[in-house]
Amino acid sequence: MFRGGNTHTAQIFIGILNDLNDLYEISGVEVGQHFYWQIGGFQVHAQVLITSWIVIAILLSLAFFATRNLQTIPTSGQNFVEYILEFIRDLTRTQIGEEEYRPWVPFIGTMFLFIFVSNRSGALLPWRVFELPHGELAAPTNDINTTVALALLTSVAYFYAGLHKRGLSYFGKYIQPTPVLLPINILEDFTKPLSLSFRLFGNILADELVVAVLISLVPLVVPIPMMFLGLFTSAIQALILATLAAAYIGESMEGHH
């Protein structure tokens, strides 16, 4: 009995290691051609870096111009930024709690705004006008490497939150409500980033592919409603990932549910 139980547990841990290996190999997933840069000994997707820098520049410009001359009675630009901040603050407070949410507003806000602007840029900006030696520019979230990086950042954040709040007692959640569930509770922490990364990547890639196919077949009328639907979908995906990130952080600080 005991030896059989050990064998079953070993098989579960082997499955966990296989999941880790699959997560590592996700970065090799490619759709179409890509333009690469060689930085040191690493090969990186140049078009993803270019579009990511453009998105970051848009966000930094918005923050700079909207806050460079703050007024007691807000102007239109300041009103817009304050509305976004209030929305992100309410989202974080709802998921993490009144007492602990404030330090996490910048992280959740950065995740939400980067994903939101990245997704919108894929639908609104004419990336394909700019020619590259290989491949073409697209939304940063159209690349699996970006979504995996965002998912891993979320994982690091909720591990840090749990350890910072509860210390080593955080690991007690893995044997609750019974130690028999230890392998399953460990596996859960590896499936979370997989789920986050594939959800965002799959939805954004599918939306852009559908619009591209419709434009090639019916270039005038039909793609327009689909593009507006894509704008709505991109906003929903940013909201979902930010909400899940905040929920995971709140859960890690409160204990296992």
Side-chain angles (χ1 to χ4, degrees), residues 6 8 18 21-22 30 39 64 67 96 104 106 113 145 152 169 183 188 193 217 222 249 257:
N6 284 343
H8 179 65
N18 288 334
N21 185 59
D22 292 341
E30 294 186 1
I39 300 179
F64 174 76
T67 61
I96 297 179
W104 294 101
L113 290 175
N145 296 282
L152 291 177
S169 64
E188 180 186 4
L217 295 177
V222 176
I249 292 171
H257 296 287

Side-chain angles (χ1 to χ4, degrees), residues 9-85:
T9 303
Q11 291 174 345
I12 293 176
F13 277 104
I14 290 173
I16 294 173
L17 292 176
N18 288 334
D19 286 340
L20 277 174
N21 185 59
D22 292 341
L23 183 62
Y24 174 76
E25 291 178 351
I26 283 175
S27 60
V29 176
E30 294 186 1
V31 179
Q33 294 183 338
H34 293 281
F35 176 46
Y36 294 102
W37 282 341
Q38 199 73 26
I39 300 179
F42 300 95
Q43 193 177 57
V44 298
H45 287 193
Q47 74 269 32
V48 178
L49 289 180
I50 294 171
T51 53
S52 296
W53 291 340
I54 293 174
V55 170
I56 293 171
I58 292 173
L59 292 174
L60 290 177
S61 300
L62 174 64
F64 174 76
F65 288 110
T67 61
R68 62 176 178 173
N69 186 24
L70 295 177
Q71 303 291 331
T72 306
I73 301 176
T75 59
S76 57
Q78 186 178 336
N79 264 326
F80 177 66
V81 173
E82 288 184 0
Y83 172 78
I84 295 175
L85 177 61

Side-chain angles (χ1 to χ4, degrees), residues 209-220:
L209 288 177
V210 167
V211 172
V213 170
L214 288 176
I215 289 176
S216 64
L217 295 177
V218 189
L220 293 179

Side-chain angles (χ1 to χ4, degrees), residues 128-145:
R128 291 172 177 80
V129 172
F130 305 98
E131 295 184 359
L132 297 176
H134 301 284
E136 59 186 16
L137 296 178
T141 45
N142 190 25
D143 191 281
I144 189 68
N145 296 282

